[in-house]
Amino acid sequence: MYSLIWRLLPGPTAVKVGEAILLVLLVLWLLMAVIFPALEPHLPIEEVVVG
């Protein structure tokens, strides 16, 4: 799968590396800004205070 993504990215190797890093950062941002906050209310997490 990763080789398919690598072949689909346009440009020489240096440009492909930059595009791959940008894609990873975009996916991480999407997870942190959209996906995880949407899932948080559905997770069975209780606050535990030790002290």
Side-chain angles (χ1 to χ4, degrees):
M1 177 173 174
Y2 296 114
S3 62
L4 173 66
I5 294 171
W6 187 258
R7 284 191 306 258
L8 290 176
L9 291 174
T13 303
V15 174
K16 286 184 180 187
V17 169
E19 292 170 344
I21 291 171
L22 185 64
L23 283 173
V24 168
L25 291 175
L26 179 65
V27 167
L28 289 175
W29 174 82
L30 183 67
L31 285 171
M32 294 297 183
V34 179
I35 304 299
F36 292 153
L39 291 177
E40 183 184 11
H42 304 289
L43 297 176
I45 299 174
E46 297 177 16
E47 279 193 41
V48 177
V49 179
V50 178

mmCIF file of all heavy atoms in Angstrom:
data_model
loop_
_atom_site.group_PDB
_atom_site.id
_atom_site.type_symbol
_atom_site.label_atom_id
_atom_site.label_comp_id
_atom_site.label_asym_id
_atom_site.label_seq_id
_atom_site.Cartn_x
_atom_site.Cartn_y
_atom_site.Cartn_z
ATOM 1 N N MET A 1 0.825 -1.186 0.000
ATOM 2 C CA MET A 1 0.000 0.000 0.000
ATOM 3 C C MET A 1 0.872 1.253 0.000
ATOM 4 O O MET A 1 0.590 2.207 -0.701
ATOM 5 C CB MET A 1 -0.925 -0.017 1.200
ATOM 6 C CG MET A 1 -1.768 1.210 1.312
ATOM 7 S SD MET A 1 -2.946 0.993 2.629
ATOM 8 C CE MET A 1 -3.649 2.585 2.642
ATOM 9 N N TYR A 2 1.919 1.253 0.828
ATOM 10 C CA TYR A 2 2.774 2.431 0.887
ATOM 11 C C TYR A 2 3.519 2.643 -0.419
ATOM 12 O O TYR A 2 3.757 3.773 -0.816
ATOM 13 C CB TYR A 2 3.757 2.328 2.056
ATOM 14 C CG TYR A 2 3.064 2.302 3.396
ATOM 15 C CD1 TYR A 2 3.107 1.181 4.201
ATOM 16 C CD2 TYR A 2 2.343 3.405 3.833
ATOM 17 C CE1 TYR A 2 2.450 1.157 5.421
ATOM 18 C CE2 TYR A 2 1.690 3.397 5.047
ATOM 19 C CZ TYR A 2 1.754 2.265 5.840
ATOM 20 O OH TYR A 2 1.111 2.254 7.034
ATOM 21 N N SER A 3 3.888 1.547 -1.081
ATOM 22 C CA SER A 3 4.563 1.696 -2.371
ATOM 23 C C SER A 3 3.615 2.268 -3.409
ATOM 24 O O SER A 3 4.033 3.037 -4.282
ATOM 25 C CB SER A 3 5.134 0.360 -2.838
ATOM 26 O OG SER A 3 4.109 -0.583 -3.024
ATOM 27 N N LEU A 4 2.340 1.939 -3.324
ATOM 28 C CA LEU A 4 1.349 2.512 -4.241
ATOM 29 C C LEU A 4 1.231 4.015 -4.024
ATOM 30 O O LEU A 4 1.234 4.791 -4.983
ATOM 31 C CB LEU A 4 -0.014 1.848 -4.041
ATOM 32 C CG LEU A 4 -1.174 2.457 -4.821
ATOM 33 C CD1 LEU A 4 -0.967 2.243 -6.315
ATOM 34 C CD2 LEU A 4 -2.486 1.894 -4.374
ATOM 35 N N ILE A 5 1.157 4.433 -2.763
ATOM 36 C CA ILE A 5 1.089 5.869 -2.461
ATOM 37 C C ILE A 5 2.352 6.563 -2.957
ATOM 38 O O ILE A 5 2.285 7.633 -3.552
ATOM 39 C CB ILE A 5 0.894 6.102 -0.947
ATOM 40 C CG1 ILE A 5 -0.470 5.569 -0.513
ATOM 41 C CG2 ILE A 5 1.021 7.574 -0.598
ATOM 42 C CD1 ILE A 5 -0.681 5.538 0.984
ATOM 43 N N TRP A 6 3.514 5.930 -2.740
ATOM 44 C CA TRP A 6 4.787 6.518 -3.176
ATOM 45 C C TRP A 6 4.812 6.691 -4.686
ATOM 46 O O TRP A 6 5.261 7.700 -5.201
ATOM 47 C CB TRP A 6 5.942 5.640 -2.710
ATOM 48 C CG TRP A 6 7.279 6.244 -2.970
ATOM 49 C CD1 TRP A 6 8.127 5.922 -3.972
ATOM 50 C CD2 TRP A 6 7.903 7.297 -2.239
ATOM 51 N NE1 TRP A 6 9.252 6.688 -3.895
ATOM 52 C CE2 TRP A 6 9.145 7.540 -2.844
ATOM 53 C CE3 TRP A 6 7.543 8.049 -1.126
ATOM 54 C CZ2 TRP A 6 10.022 8.510 -2.375
ATOM 55 C CZ3 TRP A 6 8.415 9.005 -0.667
ATOM 56 C CH2 TRP A 6 9.630 9.230 -1.291
ATOM 57 N N ARG A 7 4.320 5.698 -5.421
ATOM 58 C CA ARG A 7 4.311 5.788 -6.888
ATOM 59 C C ARG A 7 3.325 6.836 -7.381
ATOM 60 O O ARG A 7 3.533 7.441 -8.425
ATOM 61 C CB ARG A 7 3.967 4.431 -7.498
ATOM 62 C CG ARG A 7 5.114 3.451 -7.454
ATOM 63 C CD ARG A 7 4.824 2.237 -8.303
ATOM 64 N NE ARG A 7 3.558 1.597 -7.953
ATOM 65 C CZ ARG A 7 3.451 0.489 -7.229
ATOM 66 N NH1 ARG A 7 4.519 -0.107 -6.776
ATOM 67 N NH2 ARG A 7 2.274 -0.023 -6.948
ATOM 68 N N LEU A 8 2.247 7.073 -6.650
ATOM 69 C CA LEU A 8 1.238 8.037 -7.080
ATOM 70 C C LEU A 8 1.645 9.486 -6.818
ATOM 71 O O LEU A 8 1.115 10.399 -7.450
ATOM 72 C CB LEU A 8 -0.103 7.751 -6.400
ATOM 73 C CG LEU A 8 -0.819 6.484 -6.858
ATOM 74 C CD1 LEU A 8 -2.074 6.267 -6.039
ATOM 75 C CD2 LEU A 8 -1.158 6.542 -8.334
ATOM 76 N N LEU A 9 2.577 9.693 -5.875
ATOM 77 C CA LEU A 9 3.019 11.059 -5.587
ATOM 78 C C LEU A 9 3.853 11.583 -6.756
ATOM 79 O O LEU A 9 4.745 10.896 -7.241
ATOM 80 C CB LEU A 9 3.856 11.097 -4.304
ATOM 81 C CG LEU A 9 3.110 10.837 -3.004
ATOM 82 C CD1 LEU A 9 4.093 10.759 -1.848
ATOM 83 C CD2 LEU A 9 2.069 11.897 -2.750
ATOM 84 N N PRO A 10 3.557 12.801 -7.213
ATOM 85 C CA PRO A 10 4.307 13.345 -8.344
ATOM 86 C C PRO A 10 5.642 13.944 -7.913
ATOM 87 O O PRO A 10 5.819 14.339 -6.768
ATOM 88 C CB PRO A 10 3.382 14.441 -8.874
ATOM 89 C CG PRO A 10 2.625 14.892 -7.680
ATOM 90 C CD PRO A 10 2.446 13.662 -6.828
ATOM 91 N N GLY A 11 6.581 13.993 -8.842
ATOM 92 C CA GLY A 11 7.840 14.686 -8.611
ATOM 93 C C GLY A 11 9.001 13.772 -8.314
ATOM 94 O O GLY A 11 8.842 12.560 -8.171
ATOM 95 N N PRO A 12 10.178 14.375 -8.188
ATOM 96 C CA PRO A 12 11.374 13.599 -7.835
ATOM 97 C C PRO A 12 11.339 13.167 -6.375
ATOM 98 O O PRO A 12 10.431 13.531 -5.620
ATOM 99 C CB PRO A 12 12.524 14.567 -8.109
ATOM 100 C CG PRO A 12 11.917 15.918 -8.058
ATOM 101 C CD PRO A 12 10.490 15.773 -8.471
ATOM 102 N N THR A 13 12.348 12.425 -5.947
ATOM 103 C CA THR A 13 12.360 11.843 -4.606
ATOM 104 C C THR A 13 12.252 12.886 -3.502
ATOM 105 O O THR A 13 11.504 12.694 -2.538
ATOM 106 C CB THR A 13 13.644 11.006 -4.409
ATOM 107 O OG1 THR A 13 13.692 10.008 -5.438
ATOM 108 C CG2 THR A 13 13.655 10.326 -3.073
ATOM 109 N N ALA A 14 12.978 13.991 -3.628
ATOM 110 C CA ALA A 14 12.936 15.023 -2.578
ATOM 111 C C ALA A 14 11.531 15.601 -2.437
ATOM 112 O O ALA A 14 11.060 15.852 -1.318
ATOM 113 C CB ALA A 14 13.936 16.124 -2.892
ATOM 114 N N VAL A 15 10.860 15.800 -3.533
ATOM 115 C CA VAL A 15 9.496 16.335 -3.497
ATOM 116 C C VAL A 15 8.543 15.297 -2.916
ATOM 117 O O VAL A 15 7.653 15.635 -2.123
ATOM 118 C CB VAL A 15 9.047 16.771 -4.912
ATOM 119 C CG1 VAL A 15 7.598 17.190 -4.920
ATOM 120 C CG2 VAL A 15 9.938 17.877 -5.430
ATOM 121 N N LYS A 16 8.738 14.034 -3.264
ATOM 122 C CA LYS A 16 7.885 12.973 -2.725
ATOM 123 C C LYS A 16 8.025 12.869 -1.202
ATOM 124 O O LYS A 16 7.041 12.646 -0.501
ATOM 125 C CB LYS A 16 8.236 11.629 -3.362
ATOM 126 C CG LYS A 16 7.754 11.490 -4.782
ATOM 127 C CD LYS A 16 8.052 10.107 -5.308
ATOM 128 C CE LYS A 16 7.561 9.969 -6.722
ATOM 129 N NZ LYS A 16 7.685 8.604 -7.220
ATOM 130 N N VAL A 17 9.246 13.032 -0.700
ATOM 131 C CA VAL A 17 9.461 12.986 0.748
ATOM 132 C C VAL A 17 8.693 14.124 1.419
ATOM 133 O O VAL A 17 8.018 13.922 2.431
ATOM 134 C CB VAL A 17 10.962 13.050 1.085
ATOM 135 C CG1 VAL A 17 11.185 13.283 2.565
ATOM 136 C CG2 VAL A 17 11.652 11.781 0.636
ATOM 137 N N GLY A 18 8.782 15.315 0.860
ATOM 138 C CA GLY A 18 8.046 16.452 1.412
ATOM 139 C C GLY A 18 6.548 16.247 1.365
ATOM 140 O O GLY A 18 5.836 16.557 2.328
ATOM 141 N N GLU A 19 6.064 15.713 0.263
ATOM 142 C CA GLU A 19 4.623 15.450 0.142
ATOM 143 C C GLU A 19 4.178 14.377 1.126
ATOM 144 O O GLU A 19 3.096 14.476 1.716
ATOM 145 C CB GLU A 19 4.290 15.028 -1.284
ATOM 146 C CG GLU A 19 4.451 16.130 -2.302
ATOM 147 C CD GLU A 19 4.347 15.643 -3.725
ATOM 148 O OE1 GLU A 19 4.442 14.416 -3.964
ATOM 149 O OE2 GLU A 19 4.171 16.485 -4.623
ATOM 150 N N ALA A 20 4.998 13.347 1.320
ATOM 151 C CA ALA A 20 4.652 12.278 2.259
ATOM 152 C C ALA A 20 4.592 12.819 3.686
ATOM 153 O O ALA A 20 3.682 12.482 4.446
ATOM 154 C CB ALA A 20 5.664 11.140 2.152
ATOM 155 N N ILE A 21 5.550 13.664 4.055
ATOM 156 C CA ILE A 21 5.531 14.279 5.389
ATOM 157 C C ILE A 21 4.296 15.147 5.556
ATOM 158 O O ILE A 21 3.630 15.128 6.590
ATOM 159 C CB ILE A 21 6.826 15.079 5.627
ATOM 160 C CG1 ILE A 21 8.010 14.128 5.746
ATOM 161 C CG2 ILE A 21 6.711 15.968 6.854
ATOM 162 C CD1 ILE A 21 9.359 14.803 5.763
ATOM 163 N N LEU A 22 3.965 15.910 4.527
ATOM 164 C CA LEU A 22 2.772 16.753 4.573
ATOM 165 C C LEU A 22 1.507 15.914 4.717
ATOM 166 O O LEU A 22 0.607 16.270 5.491
ATOM 167 C CB LEU A 22 2.696 17.616 3.310
ATOM 168 C CG LEU A 22 1.581 18.639 3.248
ATOM 169 C CD1 LEU A 22 1.764 19.676 4.352
ATOM 170 C CD2 LEU A 22 1.564 19.314 1.896
ATOM 171 N N LEU A 23 1.430 14.790 4.028
ATOM 172 C CA LEU A 23 0.268 13.912 4.145
ATOM 173 C C LEU A 23 0.143 13.327 5.552
ATOM 174 O O LEU A 23 -0.955 13.259 6.104
ATOM 175 C CB LEU A 23 0.346 12.781 3.120
ATOM 176 C CG LEU A 23 -0.009 13.140 1.689
ATOM 177 C CD1 LEU A 23 0.284 11.966 0.768
ATOM 178 C CD2 LEU A 23 -1.466 13.544 1.580
ATOM 179 N N VAL A 24 1.260 12.936 6.141
ATOM 180 C CA VAL A 24 1.235 12.395 7.505
ATOM 181 C C VAL A 24 0.763 13.463 8.489
ATOM 182 O O VAL A 24 -0.069 13.196 9.360
ATOM 183 C CB VAL A 24 2.616 11.844 7.898
ATOM 184 C CG1 VAL A 24 2.702 11.557 9.380
ATOM 185 C CG2 VAL A 24 2.934 10.594 7.094
ATOM 186 N N LEU A 25 1.286 14.680 8.343
ATOM 187 C CA LEU A 25 0.860 15.775 9.225
ATOM 188 C C LEU A 25 -0.620 16.097 9.048
ATOM 189 O O LEU A 25 -1.316 16.385 10.025
ATOM 190 C CB LEU A 25 1.715 17.012 8.967
ATOM 191 C CG LEU A 25 3.178 16.901 9.402
ATOM 192 C CD1 LEU A 25 3.945 18.149 8.978
ATOM 193 C CD2 LEU A 25 3.286 16.669 10.888
ATOM 194 N N LEU A 26 -1.099 16.042 7.826
ATOM 195 C CA LEU A 26 -2.514 16.294 7.556
ATOM 196 C C LEU A 26 -3.394 15.236 8.212
ATOM 197 O O LEU A 26 -4.421 15.568 8.823
ATOM 198 C CB LEU A 26 -2.759 16.343 6.052
ATOM 199 C CG LEU A 26 -4.190 16.582 5.607
ATOM 200 C CD1 LEU A 26 -4.649 17.974 6.033
ATOM 201 C CD2 LEU A 26 -4.314 16.426 4.099
ATOM 202 N N VAL A 27 -2.992 13.990 8.129
ATOM 203 C CA VAL A 27 -3.768 12.915 8.756
ATOM 204 C C VAL A 27 -3.758 13.070 10.275
ATOM 205 O O VAL A 27 -4.796 12.904 10.935
ATOM 206 C CB VAL A 27 -3.216 11.531 8.327
ATOM 207 C CG1 VAL A 27 -3.783 10.424 9.188
ATOM 208 C CG2 VAL A 27 -3.517 11.278 6.860
ATOM 209 N N LEU A 28 -2.595 13.392 10.854
ATOM 210 C CA LEU A 28 -2.529 13.599 12.303
ATOM 211 C C LEU A 28 -3.408 14.760 12.752
ATOM 212 O O LEU A 28 -4.100 14.670 13.770
ATOM 213 C CB LEU A 28 -1.087 13.829 12.739
ATOM 214 C CG LEU A 28 -0.174 12.613 12.691
ATOM 215 C CD1 LEU A 28 1.252 13.009 13.023
ATOM 216 C CD2 LEU A 28 -0.669 11.537 13.630
ATOM 217 N N TRP A 29 -3.375 15.858 11.994
ATOM 218 C CA TRP A 29 -4.226 16.998 12.333
ATOM 219 C C TRP A 29 -5.703 16.614 12.252
ATOM 220 O O TRP A 29 -6.492 16.970 13.129
ATOM 221 C CB TRP A 29 -3.951 18.179 11.393
ATOM 222 C CG TRP A 29 -4.903 19.295 11.631
ATOM 223 C CD1 TRP A 29 -4.807 20.245 12.596
ATOM 224 C CD2 TRP A 29 -6.137 19.532 10.951
ATOM 225 N NE1 TRP A 29 -5.906 21.072 12.530
ATOM 226 C CE2 TRP A 29 -6.737 20.661 11.540
ATOM 227 C CE3 TRP A 29 -6.781 18.905 9.896
ATOM 228 C CZ2 TRP A 29 -7.954 21.155 11.093
ATOM 229 C CZ3 TRP A 29 -7.989 19.399 9.462
ATOM 230 C CH2 TRP A 29 -8.556 20.521 10.064
ATOM 231 N N LEU A 30 -6.064 15.877 11.205
ATOM 232 C CA LEU A 30 -7.458 15.454 11.047
ATOM 233 C C LEU A 30 -7.896 14.585 12.219
ATOM 234 O O LEU A 30 -9.000 14.757 12.745
ATOM 235 C CB LEU A 30 -7.629 14.697 9.722
ATOM 236 C CG LEU A 30 -9.028 14.248 9.367
ATOM 237 C CD1 LEU A 30 -9.906 15.461 9.095
ATOM 238 C CD2 LEU A 30 -9.013 13.326 8.173
ATOM 239 N N LEU A 31 -7.044 13.678 12.642
ATOM 240 C CA LEU A 31 -7.385 12.833 13.789
ATOM 241 C C LEU A 31 -7.549 13.655 15.063
ATOM 242 O O LEU A 31 -8.519 13.478 15.807
ATOM 243 C CB LEU A 31 -6.296 11.773 13.997
ATOM 244 C CG LEU A 31 -6.297 10.610 13.018
ATOM 245 C CD1 LEU A 31 -5.039 9.776 13.215
ATOM 246 C CD2 LEU A 31 -7.533 9.767 13.168
ATOM 247 N N MET A 32 -6.615 14.555 15.327
ATOM 248 C CA MET A 32 -6.641 15.330 16.572
ATOM 249 C C MET A 32 -7.739 16.386 16.590
ATOM 250 O O MET A 32 -8.312 16.674 17.639
ATOM 251 C CB MET A 32 -5.291 16.017 16.796
ATOM 252 C CG MET A 32 -4.175 15.069 17.041
ATOM 253 S SD MET A 32 -4.462 14.143 18.555
ATOM 254 C CE MET A 32 -2.975 13.204 18.635
ATOM 255 N N ALA A 33 -8.051 16.978 15.451
ATOM 256 C CA ALA A 33 -9.005 18.088 15.417
ATOM 257 C C ALA A 33 -10.440 17.645 15.171
ATOM 258 O O ALA A 33 -11.372 18.324 15.589
ATOM 259 C CB ALA A 33 -8.589 19.094 14.343
ATOM 260 N N VAL A 34 -10.633 16.512 14.509
ATOM 261 C CA VAL A 34 -11.987 16.135 14.105
ATOM 262 C C VAL A 34 -12.398 14.776 14.669
ATOM 263 O O VAL A 34 -13.426 14.658 15.339
ATOM 264 C CB VAL A 34 -12.114 16.117 12.558
ATOM 265 C CG1 VAL A 34 -13.503 15.695 12.130
ATOM 266 C CG2 VAL A 34 -11.755 17.469 11.973
ATOM 267 N N ILE A 35 -11.613 13.763 14.406
ATOM 268 C CA ILE A 35 -12.030 12.392 14.714
ATOM 269 C C ILE A 35 -12.046 12.121 16.223
ATOM 270 O O ILE A 35 -13.056 11.671 16.767
ATOM 271 C CB ILE A 35 -11.116 11.376 14.001
ATOM 272 C CG1 ILE A 35 -11.087 11.632 12.492
ATOM 273 C CG2 ILE A 35 -11.551 9.952 14.314
ATOM 274 C CD1 ILE A 35 -12.421 11.515 11.805
ATOM 275 N N PHE A 36 -10.923 12.372 16.915
ATOM 276 C CA PHE A 36 -10.870 12.077 18.342
ATOM 277 C C PHE A 36 -11.874 12.893 19.157
ATOM 278 O O PHE A 36 -12.525 12.334 20.048
ATOM 279 C CB PHE A 36 -9.458 12.248 18.879
ATOM 280 C CG PHE A 36 -8.481 11.224 18.349
ATOM 281 C CD1 PHE A 36 -7.139 11.532 18.276
ATOM 282 C CD2 PHE A 36 -8.887 9.977 17.928
ATOM 283 C CE1 PHE A 36 -6.225 10.604 17.788
ATOM 284 C CE2 PHE A 36 -7.998 9.047 17.434
ATOM 285 C CZ PHE A 36 -6.656 9.359 17.366
ATOM 286 N N PRO A 37 -12.044 14.198 18.900
ATOM 287 C CA PRO A 37 -13.071 14.930 19.659
ATOM 288 C C PRO A 37 -14.488 14.401 19.400
ATOM 289 O O PRO A 37 -15.324 14.431 20.300
ATOM 290 C CB PRO A 37 -12.929 16.365 19.167
ATOM 291 C CG PRO A 37 -11.510 16.473 18.744
ATOM 292 C CD PRO A 37 -11.189 15.132 18.148
ATOM 293 N N ALA A 38 -14.745 13.913 18.212
ATOM 294 C CA ALA A 38 -16.073 13.371 17.920
ATOM 295 C C ALA A 38 -16.294 12.042 18.635
ATOM 296 O O ALA A 38 -17.428 11.709 19.001
ATOM 297 C CB ALA A 38 -16.249 13.194 16.417
ATOM 298 N N LEU A 39 -15.230 11.274 18.846
ATOM 299 C CA LEU A 39 -15.363 9.978 19.509
ATOM 300 C C LEU A 39 -15.333 10.067 21.032
ATOM 301 O O LEU A 39 -15.792 9.157 21.713
ATOM 302 C CB LEU A 39 -14.234 9.050 19.050
ATOM 303 C CG LEU A 39 -14.291 8.575 17.606
ATOM 304 C CD1 LEU A 39 -13.070 7.735 17.292
ATOM 305 C CD2 LEU A 39 -15.554 7.816 17.327
ATOM 306 N N GLU A 40 -14.799 11.137 21.573
ATOM 307 C CA GLU A 40 -14.615 11.251 23.019
ATOM 308 C C GLU A 40 -15.896 11.046 23.835
ATOM 309 O O GLU A 40 -15.870 10.329 24.845
ATOM 310 C CB GLU A 40 -13.993 12.598 23.374
ATOM 311 C CG GLU A 40 -13.715 12.731 24.845
ATOM 312 C CD GLU A 40 -13.193 14.106 25.196
ATOM 313 O OE1 GLU A 40 -13.237 15.018 24.346
ATOM 314 O OE2 GLU A 40 -12.746 14.264 26.335
ATOM 315 N N PRO A 41 -17.038 11.615 23.439
ATOM 316 C CA PRO A 41 -18.246 11.398 24.253
ATOM 317 C C PRO A 41 -18.705 9.945 24.304
ATOM 318 O O PRO A 41 -19.439 9.559 25.194
ATOM 319 C CB PRO A 41 -19.313 12.257 23.560
ATOM 320 C CG PRO A 41 -18.566 13.231 22.746
ATOM 321 C CD PRO A 41 -17.276 12.585 22.372
ATOM 322 N N HIS A 42 -18.261 9.133 23.379
ATOM 323 C CA HIS A 42 -18.688 7.738 23.311
ATOM 324 C C HIS A 42 -17.742 6.780 24.024
ATOM 325 O O HIS A 42 -18.009 5.581 24.087
ATOM 326 C CB HIS A 42 -18.841 7.321 21.847
ATOM 327 C CG HIS A 42 -19.766 8.201 21.077
ATOM 328 N ND1 HIS A 42 -21.126 8.205 21.267
ATOM 329 C CD2 HIS A 42 -19.515 9.142 20.139
ATOM 330 C CE1 HIS A 42 -21.677 9.088 20.461
ATOM 331 N NE2 HIS A 42 -20.714 9.677 19.766
ATOM 332 N N LEU A 43 -16.624 7.294 24.569
ATOM 333 C CA LEU A 43 -15.661 6.441 25.246
ATOM 334 C C LEU A 43 -16.004 6.299 26.718
ATOM 335 O O LEU A 43 -16.391 7.273 27.361
ATOM 336 C CB LEU A 43 -14.253 7.027 25.098
ATOM 337 C CG LEU A 43 -13.718 7.105 23.676
ATOM 338 C CD1 LEU A 43 -12.376 7.781 23.664
ATOM 339 C CD2 LEU A 43 -13.611 5.732 23.053
ATOM 340 N N PRO A 44 -15.841 5.099 27.269
ATOM 341 C CA PRO A 44 -16.188 4.876 28.679
ATOM 342 C C PRO A 44 -15.044 5.270 29.610
ATOM 343 O O PRO A 44 -14.470 4.441 30.313
ATOM 344 C CB PRO A 44 -16.442 3.367 28.718
ATOM 345 C CG PRO A 44 -15.516 2.832 27.684
ATOM 346 C CD PRO A 44 -15.498 3.879 26.583
ATOM 347 N N ILE A 45 -14.723 6.538 29.634
ATOM 348 C CA ILE A 45 -13.633 7.025 30.495
ATOM 349 C C ILE A 45 -14.240 7.756 31.668
ATOM 350 O O ILE A 45 -15.051 8.661 31.514
ATOM 351 C CB ILE A 45 -12.693 7.956 29.704
ATOM 352 C CG1 ILE A 45 -12.066 7.207 28.525
ATOM 353 C CG2 ILE A 45 -11.630 8.529 30.617
ATOM 354 C CD1 ILE A 45 -11.249 8.078 27.614
ATOM 355 N N GLU A 46 -13.832 7.349 32.878
ATOM 356 C CA GLU A 46 -14.305 8.015 34.091
ATOM 357 C C GLU A 46 -13.132 8.772 34.694
ATOM 358 O O GLU A 46 -11.995 8.319 34.651
ATOM 359 C CB GLU A 46 -14.807 6.984 35.086
ATOM 360 C CG GLU A 46 -15.997 6.199 34.577
ATOM 361 C CD GLU A 46 -16.426 5.137 35.561
ATOM 362 O OE1 GLU A 46 -16.017 5.204 36.736
ATOM 363 O OE2 GLU A 46 -17.162 4.233 35.159
ATOM 364 N N GLU A 47 -13.422 9.904 35.309
ATOM 365 C CA GLU A 47 -12.356 10.650 35.980
ATOM 366 C C GLU A 47 -12.019 9.963 37.286
ATOM 367 O O GLU A 47 -12.881 9.686 38.100
ATOM 368 C CB GLU A 47 -12.810 12.090 36.258
ATOM 369 C CG GLU A 47 -12.681 12.999 35.064
ATOM 370 C CD GLU A 47 -12.833 14.453 35.455
ATOM 371 O OE1 GLU A 47 -12.298 14.868 36.503
ATOM 372 O OE2 GLU A 47 -13.509 15.156 34.699
ATOM 373 N N VAL A 48 -10.741 9.726 37.476
ATOM 374 C CA VAL A 48 -10.262 9.106 38.715
ATOM 375 C C VAL A 48 -9.270 10.066 39.337
ATOM 376 O O VAL A 48 -8.295 10.451 38.714
ATOM 377 C CB VAL A 48 -9.586 7.742 38.432
ATOM 378 C CG1 VAL A 48 -9.038 7.168 39.714
ATOM 379 C CG2 VAL A 48 -10.554 6.805 37.747
ATOM 380 N N VAL A 49 -9.551 10.444 40.583
ATOM 381 C CA VAL A 49 -8.667 11.369 41.301
ATOM 382 C C VAL A 49 -8.009 10.609 42.426
ATOM 383 O O VAL A 49 -8.675 10.038 43.283
ATOM 384 C CB VAL A 49 -9.467 12.576 41.859
ATOM 385 C CG1 VAL A 49 -8.544 13.508 42.619
ATOM 386 C CG2 VAL A 49 -10.177 13.288 40.726
ATOM 387 N N VAL A 50 -6.692 10.591 42.398
ATOM 388 C CA VAL A 50 -5.935 9.915 43.461
ATOM 389 C C VAL A 50 -5.401 10.996 44.390
ATOM 390 O O VAL A 50 -4.758 11.924 43.944
ATOM 391 C CB VAL A 50 -4.775 9.095 42.856
ATOM 392 C CG1 VAL A 50 -3.967 8.439 43.958
ATOM 393 C CG2 VAL A 50 -5.310 8.070 41.873
ATOM 394 N N GLY A 51 -5.676 10.847 45.637
ATOM 395 C CA GLY A 51 -5.138 11.872 46.510
ATOM 396 C C GLY A 51 -5.816 11.870 47.793
ATOM 397 O O GLY A 51 -5.742 12.384 48.766
#
